């Protein structure tokens, strides 16, 4: 039976709404906001199994019907990891991983520390500062530009294009297309320049990555660069915002972090479990008729895996709405299986440095709105704050 899921309640109270749905079962047939049939998985066990199930494809070509809702990026930017299955995905991920090394991520630490300090130097002190504006939003964009090797004089353009592309404003489609074209042209141009004169960054390393004789094609390079931007920017912004919010809402844990008895990393992991910035995984398509927890999904059927719901499944996490950084959660915030997030170490590092720097420099840190007045984005696809008013 089809039940409505994508309603206002899912945007305003995702935890409450998904708890109801889990009570009704682990998988639910429904329709997307533009009328497409979709099966939504809400339990931990089924979500984890689905994320690693080779019978579920990420390639849109395997969809039974086509529509535009959340079908990821425009066609010229489709040659990326989250639209591919093995063997194409295996080859591309191996090449990208050669450039995306843990050492490259760790080497970024001092730069991220400097960037966080510079942002807080420039931020006003006192009451009513929007932490999203002064730290959580700009830090990940600066880090991605450093990582990719976007020169300082082009970062303002880069940030403007990205914000336009991510803007949920109605009627922004035209601006989005213009921003997309400008960014596409810019990326093609910078890839050509780095091919001629490599520098020490991820983009140059991806250009140089080779398997036998085969490297990344031009369209793969541009598409993967876009993916890094889309997968890496907004999610990292909201991991920072959600972690700081969690600490401000739990003053005893904030004290424990300040006294060194609670590790920031543990607070970040519990935030990833309890308030993951990416609440719905990338869509999958059934490659054959399959049965999930007694429900038949036909070949070509579209499946969405609710990460935020799986992470609050009481069968896996007792008292899931209790924010408890001492659990050792096997959460699904970064996915699971062959598409496990390549940027997970970087996202954790950015959040850790953002929190560390803010606490060190703001001994009087507190939230200046009541917790029920904290404004979340009304969205099915992102779980993060519009603004976070603080005093420091
Ligand atoms: C808190 C921040 C982040 C979250 C919550 C997050 C979440 C995820 C999730 C859930 C997936 C798997 C999607 C699926 O299987 O349906 C994924 C994949 C991916 N993420 Fe992240 N991500 C974050 C940060 C980043 C960053 C900073 C980067 C890069 C700089 C990045 C790059 C990627 C890439 C390239 C993939 C595709 C991997 C593949 O298909 O093999 N992510 N991410």
């Amino acid at each position: 039976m089809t039940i409505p899921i994508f309603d206002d309640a899912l945007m305003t109270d995702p935890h409450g709404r998904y708890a109801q749905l889990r009570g009704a079962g682990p998988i639910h047939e429904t329709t997307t906001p533009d009328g497409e049939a979709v099966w939504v998985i809400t339990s931990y066990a089924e979500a984890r199994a689905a994320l690693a199930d080779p019978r579920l494809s990420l390639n849109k070509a395997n969809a039974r019907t086509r529509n535009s809702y959340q079908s990821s990026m425009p066609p010229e930017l489709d040659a990326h990891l989250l639209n591919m299955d093995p063997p194409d995905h295996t080859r591309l991920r191996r090449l990208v991983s050669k450039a995306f090394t843990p050492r490259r991520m760790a080497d970024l630490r001092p730069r991220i520390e400097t960037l966080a300090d510079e942002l807080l130097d420039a931020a006003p002190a006192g009451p009513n500062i929007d932490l999203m504006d002064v730290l959580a939003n700009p830090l990940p964009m600066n880090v991605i530009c450093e990582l990719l090797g976007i020169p300082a004089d082009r970062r303002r353009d880069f940030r403007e294009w990205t914000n336009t592309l991510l803007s949920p404003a109605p009627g922004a489609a035209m601006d989005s297309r213009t921003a997309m074209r400008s960014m596409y042209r810019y990326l093609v141009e910078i890839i050509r320049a780095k091919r001629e004169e490599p520098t020490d960054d991820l983009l140059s390393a991806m250009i140089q990555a080779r398997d036998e004789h085969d490297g990344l094609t031009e369209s793969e390079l541009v598409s993967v660069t876009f993916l890094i931007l889309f997968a890496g920017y907004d999610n990292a912004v909201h991991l920072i915002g959600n972690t700081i919010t969690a600490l401000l809402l739990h003053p005893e844990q904030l004290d424990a972090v300040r006294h060194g008895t609670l590790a920031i990393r543990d607070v970040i992991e519990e935030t990833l479990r309890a308030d993951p910035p990416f609440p719905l995984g990338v869509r999958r398509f059934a490659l054959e008729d399959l049965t999930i927890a007694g429900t038949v999904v036909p070949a070509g059927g579209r499946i969405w895996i609710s990460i935020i719901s799986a992470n609050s499944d009481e069968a896996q996490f007792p008292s899931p709405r209790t924010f408890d950084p001492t659990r050792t959660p096997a959460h699904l915030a970064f996915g699971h299986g062959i598409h496990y997030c390549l940027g997970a170490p970087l996202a954790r590092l950015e959040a850790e440095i953002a929190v560390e720097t803010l606490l060190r420099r703001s001994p009087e840190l507190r939230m200046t709105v009541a917790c029920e007045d904290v404004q979340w984005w009304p969205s099915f696809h992102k779980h993060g704050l519009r603004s976070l008013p603080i005093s420091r």
Side-chain angles (χ1 to χ4, degrees):
M1 188 186 58
T2 303
I3 51 159
I5 290 185
F6 293 98
D7 52 15
D8 282 355
L10 194 73
M11 293 205 265
T12 53
D13 177 23
H15 287 297
R17 187 76 178 91
Y18 276 122
Q20 271 175 355
L21 290 168
R22 281 194 306 280
I27 177 163
H28 313 266
E29 184 180 353
T30 186
T31 46
T32 61
D34 64 353
E36 186 80 12
V38 65
W39 283 260
V40 178
I41 296 180
T42 51
S43 69
Y44 180 89
E46 276 74 17
R48 194 167 191 276
L51 284 165
D53 191 333
R55 297 169 305 165
L56 295 181
S57 163
L58 271 79
N59 189 339
K60 303 195 259 223
N62 292 313
R64 188 173 48 166
T65 52
R66 304 285 175 84
N67 77 351
S68 56
Y69 186 69
Q70 281 294 314
S71 61
S72 77
M73 297 180 214
E76 64 274 28
L77 299 171
D78 264 356
H80 67 73
L81 295 161
L82 287 177
N83 194 34
M84 283 180 178
D85 302 325
D88 294 337
H89 173 267
T90 320
R91 171 187 155 273
L92 198 66
R93 179 151 173 140
R94 197 168 46 229
L95 284 170
V96 176
S97 304
K98 280 187 180 176
F100 226 102
T101 57
R103 195 190 59 79
R104 186 176 296 280
M105 301 305 119
D107 285 354
L108 279 172
R109 178 180 269 278
R111 265 311 282 158
I112 304 176
E113 286 169 347
T114 306
L115 288 167
D117 267 320
E118 283 171 1
L119 288 168
L120 289 177
D121 284 344
N128 285 328
I129 300 156
D130 180 0
L131 194 81
M132 300 308 288
D133 249 10
V134 299
L135 183 66
N137 274 305
L139 185 65
M141 178 48 75
N142 280 328
V143 172
I144 284 185
C145 287
E146 292 273 331
L147 182 72
L148 292 172
I150 308 292
D153 61 338
R154 296 309 300 270
R155 286 186 191 173
R156 182 192 287 265
D157 287 343
F158 210 68
R159 191 167 162 201
E160 267 173 27
W161 294 327
T162 309
N163 284 334
T164 307
L165 289 174
L166 290 169
S167 162
M174 192 60 146
D175 293 347
S176 265
R177 270 197 296 278
T178 312
M180 177 86 68
R181 268 200 302 273
S182 307
M183 193 186 272
Y184 181 80
R185 272 199 302 271
Y186 174 66
L187 286 177
V188 169
E189 180 198 313
I190 194 171
I191 286 169
R192 191 175 38 74
K194 284 185 191 283
R195 206 182 275 295
E196 279 163 21
E197 235 176 281
T199 38
D200 182 19
D201 52 51
L202 180 73
L203 209 44
S204 303
M206 287 200 298
I207 292 167
Q208 282 153 26
R210 289 267 176 284
D211 246 7
E212 311 270 309
H213 306 291
D214 241 2
L216 290 161
T217 65
E218 215 66 15
S219 78
E220 286 169 346
L221 269 169
V222 178
S223 302
V224 168
T225 309
F226 252 84
L227 173 65
I228 288 172
L229 198 66
F230 277 87
Y233 171 52
D234 218 30
N235 286 327
V237 167
H238 294 302
L239 178 57
I240 295 173
N242 295 358
T243 305
I244 293 168
T245 305
L247 281 174
L248 292 172
L249 293 177
H250 299 92
E252 67 297 347
Q253 291 169 9
L254 179 56
D255 274 354
V257 170
R258 286 200 190 277
H259 289 104
T261 51
L262 173 60
I264 293 174
R265 287 250 157 176
D266 291 342
V267 179
I268 293 171
E269 288 315 302
E270 180 63 348
T271 304
L272 282 162
R273 182 198 68 78
D275 282 306
F278 190 53
L280 273 178
V282 173
R283 78 278 173 277
R284 264 65 174 166
F285 305 104
L287 288 174
E288 56 190 71
D289 290 354
L290 43 95
T291 305
I292 298 177
T295 296
V296 176
V297 181
R302 180 182 300 244
I303 292 178
W304 265 338
I305 299 156
S306 173
I307 291 175
I308 195 169
S309 181
N311 278 1
S312 281
D313 185 345
E314 25 304 269
Q316 179 71 17
F317 305 103
S319 308
R321 293 312 298 144
T322 302
F323 190 84
D324 176 7
T326 63
R327 346 176 170 241
T328 41
H331 62 69
L332 299 177
F334 290 120
H336 172 65
I338 60 169
H339 291 280
Y340 183 81
C341 178
L342 265 178
L346 179 62
R348 289 180 164 122
L349 183 66
E350 285 178 53
E352 187 183 355
I353 293 172
V355 175
E356 233 168 50
T357 312
L358 181 70
L359 295 192
R360 172 169 47 79
R361 300 184 48 146
S362 312
E364 306 293 330
L365 184 69
R366 60 182 183 84
M367 204 184 263
T368 52
V369 286
C371 63
E372 58 278 14
D373 293 333
V374 170
Q375 299 263 313
W376 294 82
W377 280 106
S379 166
F380 306 125
H381 296 286
K382 78 161 122 184
H383 183 57
L385 297 176
R386 285 156 94 93
S387 68
L388 176 52
I390 56 143
S391 147
R392 53 190 286 256

